Amino acid sequence: MQTNLFRWLFEDPVTAGSNGGLPGTEPFHFLWPWLIFCIAGLLITFYYSVEGRKRFVKSKPLAKRMLDNYLGWFAVICFIGLPLIFARVYLDGYFFAWRFWRYLWLLSLLVWAGVWVFHLVKRYPQERAGYDAYKSRQQYMPRGNKRKAASR
């Protein structure tokens, strides 16, 4: 049996169900895992932005900057995933119900995870070493007298 990848990616669930011999639309088996993933991703990002920045990474500026950047993009990816799931479930025969959009979304999630792992493995240790060197240099720098500066 030969499958046509183009047709498989760009076929709406109603047509795919009728071509596959199903009485209705093609079922969407991953509704709950995707929905839970997207909602959990948005909740984690929201918690981090409200409370986690102050509690977990208050004294670690490199980790704070990294989490700010990458969790922001993670929230965008999760936010885009919710309308794609909605379109697949409720808008069966329309443009955004195609498999192509869900696999493009999954590809963006994998690219995001790859960039984050690359940053953790390759760039974060270099930035950490540079920050530690900066902190050790700062302890030998003379500090200004705030009392003299305020009286002028």
Side-chain angles (χ1 to χ4, degrees):
M1 184 171 126
Q2 185 179 6
T3 59
N4 185 354
L5 181 64
F6 185 78
R7 194 181 99 207
W8 184 78
L9 283 174
F10 296 102
E11 190 172 49
D12 62 297
V14 175
T15 308
S18 65
N19 289 344
L22 299 174
T25 64
E26 180 184 41
F28 183 49
H29 300 288
F30 301 109
L31 170 67
W32 290 108
W34 282 37
L35 198 60
I36 290 169
F37 177 79
C38 288
I39 291 173
L42 289 173
L43 288 176
I44 287 169
T45 305
F46 177 74
Y47 176 75
Y48 172 75
S49 66
V50 171
E51 182 69 25
R53 282 184 97 227
K54 294 179 263 183
R55 181 176 290 189
F56 300 122
V57 291
K58 185 177 186 178
S59 62
K60 301 172 187 158
L62 292 177
K64 183 187 285 189
R65 185 174 56 128
M66 182 183 68
L67 286 174
D68 285 348
N69 290 339
Y70 290 109
L71 283 180
W73 278 108
F74 184 60
V76 168
I77 291 171
C78 287
F79 185 74
I80 290 172
L82 289 174
L84 289 177
I85 293 170
F86 172 80
R88 172 54 183 94
V89 173
Y90 294 109
L91 303 174
D92 288 344
Y94 293 98
F95 181 66
F96 286 109
W98 294 348
R99 286 184 187 102
F100 169 76
W101 298 111
R102 292 190 307 277
Y103 284 99
L104 185 65
W105 178 81
L106 187 61
L107 180 68
S108 70
L109 185 65
L110 291 174
V111 167
W112 171 82
V115 168
W116 194 8
V117 167
F118 173 76
H119 185 81
L120 280 175
V121 171
K122 195 76 170 166
R123 293 188 60 205
Y124 184 74
Q126 295 170 353
E127 289 179 7
R128 177 88 179 162
Y131 182 73
D132 289 342
Y134 170 76
K135 289 298 272 185
S136 67
R137 279 193 312 264
Q138 288 298 353
Q139 72 185 5
Y140 298 111
M141 296 299 229
R143 294 195 176 116
N145 192 349
K146 291 182 182 178
R147 202 177 290 166
K148 285 184 183 179
S151 65
R152 290 182 184 185

